[in-house]
Amino acid sequence: MYLRYQFRVYPTPGQQAALARAFGCARVVFNDCVRARRTAFATGMKISDTELQRQVVTAAKRTPERAWLAEVASVALVQACQDARTAYRNWFDSIAGRRNGRKLGAPRFRSKRDHRQSIRLTRNGFRLRANGRLHIAKVGELAVRWSRYLPSAPSSVTVIKDSAGRYFASFVVDVRDSPLPTVTSEVGIDLGLETFAVLSDGKTITTPRFLRRAERRLRRAQQALARKDKGSKNREKQRVRVAKLHARVKDTRHDWAHKHTTAIIRDNQAVFVEDLCVRGLARTRLAKSVYDVGWSTFIRLLEDKAARYGRIFGKTDRFFPSSQLCSTCGANDGPKPLRVRAWECASCGARHDRDLNAAKNIHAAGRAEWSNACGGTVSLSA
């Protein structure tokens, strides 16, 4: 499987200027590709990918209006064309129903006012030097802070400048699956806001509330930003300060999710979660709290690590009544308001904690679906 390994890089002022030119040229080529495809569609003409690349890169360099494209590596420009082609393919597949997930719209122009810029390079556009530096064509050797070794030779690298002004190199490497030793434990996970996760074995994970803890500093920084004159250098400096605070929240949340998902995958042979509609919950009054906990990232990391380490991962149906069923006898006691945190089953008299009972039901439903998919004849307890 292919994974990304991301490292911080520290370009010199001259290299930052060269990267800025590369970012701008790649953006212009991408926009030219989108514009050419729109024009071809409006006139009823067909244009191939090869002809489009020749038109917006090779031929454009010979014109006075685009002569400055020759100042950057051609690999970055070719990859910008490939990005535009991929964007259109994804749009077409989404329209035809061949692509899972939400419906995608037509590709849009990239803006030079976006504070996040990037270029992508294949193997003939970069080299890893013996001294640990990353050589980028027509940019130079970038100092990289290696936090770990690459498991194999990278096939491509994406150089990124984020909104906080930090530079990163993201390598795509081919990693072999490394199954963990088999264990006997399995777990179902009920996700929530007050308590981030309750596991069917009784363990709980408290909600970290990263954004809530940083709100005071963010509020002061954003108030200072609002007082700066638009277009001034002081406003740009303050914008970077605000972006750094948001980046710290994001990085902390991502690190926390990685550590907990790794521990869950390591300790359990099978992991089952509920399929939450995060986009729908984010349209409610709980939107800030929903986005702060990062359910989607947590579930995605669980699924990816389960595939990498040979574990079983499953999702229960979105409409499965995990909070209504009794995990002891299977009776359905009907919906309950969120303020009800504990209840007693009317059929068997068992006393349940709401979240722990839901986690046990998710585990039972997920295991039944997994066994049934493997050919077994099982069903939920009645």
Side-chain angles (χ1 to χ4, degrees):
M1 63 185 304
Y2 289 94
L3 296 178
R4 282 194 175 273
Y5 281 64
Q6 184 167 290
F7 304 91
R8 185 84 178 268
V9 297
Y10 294 88
T12 64
Q15 292 171 344
Q16 291 180 17
L19 285 173
R21 287 193 296 270
F23 294 150
C25 291
R27 182 184 64 249
V28 168
V29 169
F30 181 90
N31 291 342
D32 287 347
C33 288
V34 174
R35 188 179 297 107
R37 288 188 182 276
R38 290 183 179 182
T39 302
F41 177 77
T43 57
M45 299 176 59
K46 291 185 178 180
I47 183 170
S48 64
D49 297 332
T50 305
E51 174 60 24
L52 181 62
Q53 180 177 317
R54 188 200 65 80
Q55 177 181 329
V56 301
V57 178
T58 307
K61 290 181 180 180
R62 304 191 182 100
T63 62
E65 296 81 6
R66 293 285 190 268
W68 35 265
L69 290 177
E71 298 177 4
V72 304
S74 61
V75 181
L77 306 183
V78 172
Q79 293 306 310
C81 290
Q82 297 297 324
D83 291 342
R85 180 180 67 86
T86 302
Y88 270 96
R89 292 292 186 274
N90 291 339
W91 180 39
F92 296 151
D93 291 343
S94 180
I95 294 175
R98 295 188 298 266
R99 189 178 190 276
N100 296 329
R102 63 186 180 90
K103 296 295 183 181
L104 299 181
R108 297 178 295 180
F109 293 120
R110 292 178 178 176
S111 174
K112 66 179 180 180
R113 294 180 177 82
D114 290 341
H115 298 299
R116 186 188 185 280
Q117 303 286 340
S118 66
I119 55 171
R120 187 159 54 90
L121 304 162
T122 51
R123 288 178 178 174
N124 55 343
F126 73 96
R127 291 291 184 274
L128 291 177
R129 301 300 191 191
N131 58 2
R133 289 178 174 263
L134 171 65
H135 180 268
I136 302 295
K138 294 193 177 182
V139 174
E141 293 185 353
L142 303 178
V144 184
R145 295 297 180 265
W146 298 101
S147 57
R148 51 183 172 171
Y149 293 104
L150 292 176
S152 62
S155 59
S156 68
V157 63
T158 303
V159 182
I160 305 167
K161 179 186 178 183
D162 68 0
S163 59
R166 304 177 300 175
Y167 290 84
F168 297 92
S170 179
F171 298 93
V172 175
V173 295
D174 188 6
V175 180
R176 293 183 178 180
D177 295 344
S178 52
L180 292 172
T182 303
V183 294
T184 58
S185 59
E186 301 175 2
V187 71
I189 304 176
D190 177 65
L191 300 174
L193 293 178
E194 193 66 28
T195 302
F196 178 81
V198 177
L199 280 61
S200 58
D201 57 6
K203 298 179 181 178
T204 61
I205 301 176
T206 58
T207 303
R209 304 182 190 277
F210 297 113
L211 183 61
R212 299 289 185 180
R213 290 187 297 181
E215 272 188 330
R216 184 176 182 182
R217 285 177 294 178
L218 274 170
R219 181 171 61 251
R220 291 181 176 178
Q222 289 167 341
Q223 287 175 347
L225 176 64
R227 298 188 184 103
K228 301 292 189 294
D229 293 333
K230 292 185 177 180
S232 65
K233 291 185 177 180
N234 286 335
R235 183 180 178 87
E236 176 61 21
K237 293 178 183 178
Q238 188 62 31
R239 183 201 66 78
V240 173
R241 294 190 188 101
V242 174
K244 286 183 178 179
L245 290 175
H246 280 291
R248 181 180 300 176
V249 172
K250 176 185 175 182
D251 294 344
T252 308
R253 182 188 296 119
H254 203 65
D255 178 72
W256 180 90
H258 265 293
K259 290 177 179 177
H260 281 80
T261 52
T262 300
I264 292 174
I265 292 296
R266 182 185 62 239
D267 298 338
N268 298 278
Q269 185 65 28
V271 178
F272 306 104
V273 298
E274 52 186 335
D275 185 16
L276 297 172
C277 181
V278 178
R279 292 177 62 86
L281 292 171
R283 290 194 292 265
T284 66
R285 59 184 179 86
L286 302 174
K288 181 182 288 188
S289 298
V290 169
Y291 280 127
D292 191 16
V293 293
W295 286 330
S296 296
T297 301
F298 188 84
I299 294 175
R300 177 179 57 82
L301 291 177
L302 280 176
E303 186 172 7
D304 293 345
K305 292 180 181 180
R308 180 181 179 185
Y309 296 117
R311 300 308 201 199
I312 304 300
F313 177 83
K315 292 182 181 179
T316 61
D317 185 78
R318 182 170 298 177
F319 302 101
F320 175 67
S322 60
S323 298
Q324 303 177 22
L325 295 176
C326 173
S327 59
T328 303
C329 66
N332 191 331
D333 273 7
K336 303 167 185 63
L338 289 176
R339 65 176 181 271
V340 177
R341 309 312 306 171
W343 55 281
E344 183 176 330
C345 178
S347 299
C348 65
R351 186 75 177 173
H352 296 296
D353 176 82
R354 179 193 183 101
D355 297 331
L356 180 59
N357 177 73
K360 292 179 179 179
N361 287 327
I362 291 171
H363 177 218
R367 199 177 196 290
E369 183 65 26
W370 167 43
S371 300
N372 198 35
C374 295
T377 56
V378 297
S379 61
L380 288 176
S381 58

